Amino acid sequence: MEASAGLVAGSHNRNELVVIHGHEEPKPLKNLDGQVCEICGDDVGLTVDGDLFVACNECGFPVCRPCYEYERREGSQLCPQCKTRYKRLKGSPRVEGDEDEEDVDDIEHEFKIADEKNKHNHMAEAMLHGKMSYGRGPEDDDNAQFPPVIAGNRSRPVSGEFPISSHAYGDQMLSSSLHKRIHPYPVSEPGSARGDEKYEDGWKDRMDDWKLQQGNLGPEPDEDPDAVLLDEARQPLSRKVPIASSKINPYRMVIVARLVILGFFLRYRIINPVHDAIGLWLTSIICEIWFAFSWILDQFPKWFPIDRETYLDRLSVRYEREGEPNLLAPVDVFVSTVDPMKEPPLVTANTILSILSMDYPVDKISCYISDDGASMCTFEALSETAEFAKKWVPFCKKFNIEPRAPEMYFSEKIDYLKDKVQPTFVKERRAMKREYEEFKVRVNALVAKAQKVPPGGWIMQDGTPWPGNNTKDHPGMIQVFLGHSGGCDTDGNLLPRLVYVSREKRPGFAHHKKAGAMNALVRVSAVLTNAPFMLNLDCDHYINNSKAVREAMCFLMDPQTGKKVCYVQFPQRFDGIDRNDRYANRNTVFFDINMKGLDGIQGPVYVGTGCVFRRQALYGYSPPKGPKRPKMVSCDCCPCFGRRRKEKYAKDGANAESAMLQQGMEDDKELLMSQMNFEKKFGQSSIFVTSTLMEEGGVPPSSSPAALLKEAIHVISCGYEDKTEWGTELGWIYGSITEDILTGFKMHCRGWRSIYCMPKRPAFKGTAPINLSDRLNQVLRWALGSIEIFFSPHCPAWYGYKGGNKLKWLERFAYVNTTVYPFTSLPLLAYCILPAICLLTDKFIMPPISTFAGLYFVALFSSIIATGLLELKWSGVSIEEWWRNEQFWVIGGVSAHLFAVIQGLLKVLAGIDTNFTVTSKAADDEEFGELYSFKWTTLLIPPTTILIINIVGVVAGISDAINNGYQSWGPLFGKLFFSFWVIVHLYPFLKGLMGRQNRTPTIVVIWSVLLASIFSLLWVRIDPFVMKAKGPDTKMCGINC
């Protein structure tokens, strides 16, 4: 497909399809009747059978027959693209080297593979056979094994190899000539006689190959000059690095000790009630039991923490050998954006530029941008980004710079000359910085222009109205900005594909927000490129380590363990956070402690970005099963069972032929039923359904790009997912605004495992809301999503037990914890109010403590401190980060989590839905200026109230102790400690309320007045400076002393 061939917009349901050339230079049209030879420029032509001539069966590089025959006769006999030796085709003369080949059509007999891994390709060919009128003729006996398939009314024939150069659409878009050939993979179903025969034929060859790989066959290692490289290639691509036993064993022992101490402590608290404050005592007991339960759910999934190490050099030796085709797997990269006002196009552009310039083969990378807001501003900014990428990408690769997002690279305060030896680097860097600044001005101008929408809507350059003027009612749109036929940089090298996608939206359809947009990208990419792996990034998360995808491939492409890995999750790292990280934006306790612990069980949870998926796992397939142990068969040596088994086998042998025939019929019936169910599962698109069965990726090599784009518009139509399993079993799962947790959970329930990869240089970096109100709103959204999952059928507490519990128990503990943690806000709120009540009422939640009972408290606090310190020791997290996390746990618990529980209950019980708000990614011009800005929100009311009543309680308690004398200080210390614990945890929140030190917001003045009023009333009520005389009432007895 050619880049910049026009914006394709259409609706499958309305049978509309238009091509808009408003943003492209006019280009000469080429003939679409056949491909053009890339060597001489003539038409490729047809074979002797009337089919399109395909010279190279490996890559389909378009070459005409005269050039093909000349290359075989006079040249190197190699394909110019993939360097594979040309094979003799029917009707071509023999040349030297063809003596070993049979006198048959090599295309039809090239892929005689009986290996089990091609089973999905066999099923794909079976489905296509019933839906297409091209391919093999009736003389092909292999087709006899494919049962007929019932074609749906909306089904389309497979049509297309992406990319192929094309310049015009028009009538070809509506009726393309689908006459190219499909090269099948004839693999018989296991269990059939034919399949067994092929299996026996290929067994010896596979055994010889295995021996050759193991070094037991062929030349001796000493005689092989590449023996060292081969040995290196056979080594694993990664390894687990267990935590040192000197660090992890004491940690586990302290956890067990803390659990025992906690049991004794709760027993003591229950059997020693406070009779004069039974309400306070009972409330505190309920809170402490819930805290203990929550701690168990959080602590035990950290029992097996591990680190991992990757070997990028071994990956290159194995899959990037010199002189051979690059075997690294293709990757489709997904970037999602909605509102260009909240997610600035310049931020998105930097993310895209870092993707296009990553250290990976350019023909293996395709970048898809989902614009769910159908914004013309985003579209035009992407067009500018594609042009700037032609200069930026070669600069990055020439000088090997990091990071490869220009905004971050030029703003880094480091020595950019370090390790640079090219004399032209300084000059080219200055020129590139100037180019980037001009690019920023152009993008900023687009954003300024988009601030005011014209009355008649946006108009494109050719006068065509922008199809997305109505963001809630518009057709699907696809634009290929960069590709094979228009995506070259300034040095003439190819660039990765860059595709703009905006799915169709119509009133009355459920679009499922981000999860629906991601599923649309999955289908579009499957039709156009179908890479076996997908990288998902938020628009503000740029690639900070250009080798990040290679790091993931060390796990996903490992021949030993990679097949069972559903995704590789990277930790989230952030730029622009204040030095003290006041609101725990870095979240290092979760990413560096909890996620490492999960990696030692069944893998980390999916956190929404920075994750490389296996496409087959998103399609709902289960991981491959290991070989089963053969069943034991008794022999004649046992007189009790030998004859009986022998007679049984003799009886079975008499009906062997009929049994095999019956088995073959059942296999065919099962295949037919599965084919009929595929479209009910994946949707009414034969091209997409076929792609789901291609485990190694790739597109069917026989179609025009026009038909591919038409099918891509079809799969992003708003009604495509109706009556399918999208969102319930396939792709991103619907039902929660935190679709990431739910999606990863479903994969783990099927038996997949995930990997946590932490390279030394962070793989991705993003932006985090450092303002207090924005941060609380972000946490509110996460907590509300967890509440939705808890009340959904996918709740980890009871989902996933059917079909064998493939989810490990500690992994289930972690998932349960991710859904119940917002409920901790209720006991936490009560526990934070209790100290103030105790101080104001002169009561306490515990009875007087004896010396023996004090040991419980000392042991409990000691175990808590020891657990934290040992956790920090093996994880490498600093104590400051740990303390910030503890503080924000209280701040978020009594504000965002509390509101999430209330909103979740309203949604479940009353059906009142809440709106999803996109977190703003816009940065303040002043460094950390956003940190000090004050934005009032109702989320601030609960923690502010808790702060005030605790401060009032402390003042009232101290005043009362001063008034009553020395004996009142003893009971007061426990209450004051309790209250100070609350105030210290809320201290960052108090600083956020105060804003800058030299500014006092109006709201603080109002609260100060309110506080003073309350304190004055309490002062009068306590009357601390009036001596409370003990003895008879002088008014009653009449004695005037």
Side-chain angles (χ1 to χ4, degrees), residues 92-140:
S92 298
R94 287 183 177 271
V95 296
E96 184 179 356
D98 291 340
E99 286 75 13
D100 297 333
E101 299 180 6
E102 299 179 5
D103 193 12
V104 293
D105 190 352
D106 297 305
I107 293 180
E108 297 180 6
H109 294 269
E110 180 175 4
F111 296 108
K112 290 206 171 188
I113 306 170
D115 198 271
E116 182 66 20
K117 72 176 183 178
N118 287 325
K119 181 178 178 181
H120 290 297
N121 293 14
H122 162 77
M123 296 178 67
E125 190 65 29
M127 296 190 65
L128 287 174
H129 176 70
K131 293 181 178 293
M132 301 191 304
S133 59
Y134 59 95
R136 292 187 183 276
E139 72 278 4
D140 187 3

Side-chain angles (χ1 to χ4, degrees), residues 3 296 326 492 657 758:
I296 290 173
N326 194 302
E657 185 176 353
M758 294 182 63

Side-chain angles (χ1 to χ4, degrees), residues 352-372:
I352 294 168
L353 291 169
S354 69
I355 294 170
L356 298 179
S357 57
M358 73 169 72
D359 183 8
Y360 208 74
V362 292
D363 59 325
K364 308 281 187 178
I365 292 291
S366 301
C367 181
Y368 292 84
I369 313 301
S370 170
D371 178 16
D372 221 30

Side-chain angles (χ1 to χ4, degrees), residues 582-583 772 931-934 987-995 1001:
R582 182 185 295 177
Y583 306 123
L772 176 60
L931 176 67
Y932 303 105
S933 62
F934 186 85
Y987 177 70
F989 175 82
L990 181 61
K991 289 187 68 175
L993 277 183
M994 297 299 296

Side-chain angles (χ1 to χ4, degrees), residues 58 121 124 158 160-163 185 329-332 497 525-533 615-616 619 687-702 708:
E58 294 292 334
N121 293 14
V158 169
E161 178 183 12
F162 181 85
Y185 297 74
V331 179
D332 290 337
R497 301 176 187 89
S525 63
V527 171
L528 298 182
T529 51
N530 196 31
F533 304 108
R615 188 181 285 268
Q616 292 291 309
Y619 286 159
I687 292 182
F688 175 69
V689 170
T690 302
S691 72
T692 64
L693 301 174
M694 304 175 73
E695 227 179 286
E696 303 301 323
V699 293
S702 59
L708 279 179

Side-chain angles (χ1 to χ4, degrees), residues 834-844 948-977 979-980 983 1014-1015 1018-1019 1021-1025 1028:
L834 283 176
I837 297 176
C838 292
L839 286 167
L840 294 174
T841 60
D842 199 23
K843 299 182 184 298
F844 201 40
I948 291 173
I949 62 174
N950 273 277
I951 293 174
V952 170
V954 168
V955 174
I958 294 176
S959 300
D960 190 61
I962 294 174
N963 183 46
N964 292 332
Y966 175 78
Q967 67 276 6
S968 301
W969 286 98
L972 181 64
F973 279 130
K975 303 172 187 178
L976 289 178
F977 174 80
S979 188
F980 275 121
I983 295 172
I1014 295 174
F1015 181 70
L1018 289 173
W1019 187 278
R1021 173 69 181 86
I1022 295 173
D1023 198 13
F1025 294 107
K1028 296 178 182 178

